[in-house]
Amino acid sequence: MTRERLQDVSEGELLSRLFPIFGDTVGPAEVLLGPGDDAAVLAAPSGGVVLTTDSMVRGRDWRDDWSSPTEIGHKVVAQNVADIAAMGAVPTGLLITLAADPATEVAWVLALGEGIARAAREAGAPVLGGDLSAAGEGSIVVGITAVGDLQGHRAVRRDGAEPGDVVAVRGSLGRSGGGLQLLLAGRGHTHRDPPLGETGDSLARAIEVLCRVHRRTEDVPWRAGPEAAAAGATAMIDLSDGLVRDLGRVAAASGTRIELDGRALAAFAAGPLTLALGAEEAMRQVLSGGEEHSLAATFAPAAVPDGWEVIGVCTDGSGEVVVDGQVPPVTGWDHFSG
Ligand SMILES: Nc1ncnc2c1ncn2[C@@H]1O[C@H](COP(=O)(O)OP(=O)(O)OP(=O)(O)O)[C@@H](O)[C@H]1O
Ligand SMILES: Cc1ncc(C[n+]2csc(CCOP(=O)(O)O)c2C)c(N)n1
Ligand SMILES: [Mg+2]
């Protein structure tokens, strides 16, 4: 059987097959006009619109031998929604850009659409439209632009942390980075491996969980962003490039020092991460693993909402992040310098 390729179908044909996939993401009354016209029309209930964009590139941000198109679609939406949540906003819409080699299988693109639609439904963010373009041989770039609404809250920026605030995390740390390490080491669980289900020992299950988190990004605490804003968070960020690097951005923007508590962080390294990678590498991933997309925020000590784990405090300083008083020997992710 010869597989249908993008070069075998017209743009219009591909779109007519993608729209039904996104159709049931368009529910909210705020969508005045969805995909199909020159642009979508979204009501802006609170008057402030939050906008972000983030893309994934084949071979750089995913590998086809590790990740399925559905997982990639889920992950690229999750990354964007985490940025909306990190401002204290709720996601209200998504625009999708796809630039792909014409030899790409149509089935691959539709499966990507399924993953996008799944994450869109989870986040309550309708797919409003997008753009298609051809790319060079072997190239695929998937870009998402996400729109969010502050629902009357002020935006929670990176520069509002004050000495005396506590630093708290909502969600996991190091799991995605741990999964990447396992995949790079050839010990990972890929989309081609059968799911373990109830079978498998605890090590195999730990490896499966970490790799699945890396491949599709799971459990992004989307709703916790607006909750933190309502609770008076003074600064917030989503963790994309590693805890220490991203908190360094908060510390630098706010003009504070962030002092993290190694014991509190060790609790995040326990469980699957330590089982799969050993205690030392598990802690390294907690401090520097990328693509976790959990939220980190600063609060007045009495204002930390339920579900957030306090991991440190802000003190007088100018952008340093220390763990138990020491500058940790880790960096984080950088697209260009590694
Ligand atoms: N090409 C660009 N042109 C203009 N502004 C950009 C460009 N790339 C990034 N920015 C802006 O720089 C800031 C940091 O971008 P970045 O992509 O690192 O976002 P982030 O939230 O730090 O990371 P992530 O998207 O991984 O959560 C954002 O405000 C973003 O809009
Ligand atoms: C094949 C492959 N190699 C490496 C990585 C790791 N990686 C890519 S982007 C990123 C940080 C966040 O980026 P952004 O700031 O754009 O959200 C990380 C840790 C991967 N996912 N796939
Ligand atoms: Mg971010």
Side-chain angles (χ1 to χ4, degrees), residues 54-55 59-63 66 75 79 180 214 240-241 290-291 293 333 335:
D54 209 345
S55 55
R60 294 289 183 155
D61 297 317
W62 84 78
R63 277 173 47 169
W66 295 348
K75 182 168 180 171
Q79 289 176 349
L180 177 60
H214 175 75
S240 56
D241 297 340
E291 298 181 291
H293 299 293
W333 182 262
H335 280 295

Side-chain angles (χ1 to χ4, degrees), residues 51-54 79 82-83 158 237-241 246 249 293 335:
L51 294 160
T52 186
T53 190
D54 209 345
Q79 289 176 349
D83 276 318
R158 296 178 180 183
I237 191 165
D238 79 304
L239 300 174
S240 56
D241 297 340
D246 286 324
R249 295 177 170 141
H293 299 293
H335 280 295

Side-chain angles (χ1 to χ4, degrees), residues 37-284:
D37 213 308
D38 289 314
V41 183
L42 195 62
S46 74
V49 176
V50 176
L51 294 160
T52 186
T53 190
D54 209 345
S55 55
M56 288 182 68
V57 177
R58 180 189 224 170
R60 294 289 183 155
D61 297 317
W62 84 78
R63 277 173 47 169
D64 293 331
D65 53 338
W66 295 348
S67 304
S68 72
T70 305
E71 290 167 342
I72 295 156
H74 191 276
K75 182 168 180 171
V76 69
V77 169
Q79 289 176 349
N80 278 274
V81 169
D83 276 318
I84 295 286
M87 299 309 292
V90 296
T92 50
L94 304 170
L95 297 167
I96 322 293
T97 298
L98 176 66
D101 177 351
T104 307
E105 288 178 13
V106 170
W108 192 97
V109 174
L110 299 180
L112 177 84
E114 297 285 356
I116 289 172
R118 193 172 302 166
R121 286 191 296 269
E122 283 169 15
V127 175
L128 299 170
D131 181 45
L132 293 172
S133 198
E137 198 180 324
S139 296
I140 306 182
V141 180
V142 189
I144 304 272
T145 298
V147 185
D149 182 59
L150 288 164
Q151 299 189 313
H153 299 298
R154 68 193 162 71
V156 185
R157 299 163 40 147
R158 296 178 180 183
D159 62 2
E162 306 252 13
D165 285 349
V166 295
V167 180
V169 167
R170 177 71 185 242
S172 53
L173 294 175
R175 292 192 307 168
S176 178
L180 177 60
Q181 281 314 306
L182 290 161
L183 287 160
L184 285 169
R187 299 174 55 211
H189 188 274
T190 77
H191 72 111
R192 290 171 177 162
D193 295 320
L196 293 174
E198 293 307 304
T199 67
D201 57 22
S202 53
L203 173 60
R205 291 237 281 270
I207 291 172
E208 184 183 40
V209 166
L210 298 173
C211 293
R212 199 174 55 227
V213 168
H214 175 75
R215 294 188 333 251
R216 72 189 293 274
T217 306
E218 301 202 320
D219 312 323
V220 170
W222 296 319
R223 287 174 198 83
E227 281 165 23
T234 51
M236 186 153 50
I237 191 165
D238 79 304
L239 300 174
S240 56
D241 297 340
L243 179 73
V244 169
R245 178 161 283 187
D246 286 324
L247 285 180
R249 295 177 170 141
V250 172
S254 300
T256 61
R257 172 183 171 96
I258 289 181
E259 303 194 4
L260 299 176
D261 172 7
R263 272 230 314 257
L265 294 176
F268 289 86
L273 261 181
T274 296
L275 191 59
L277 292 164
E280 197 179 320
E281 178 63 16
M283 194 59 174
R284 207 176 70 82

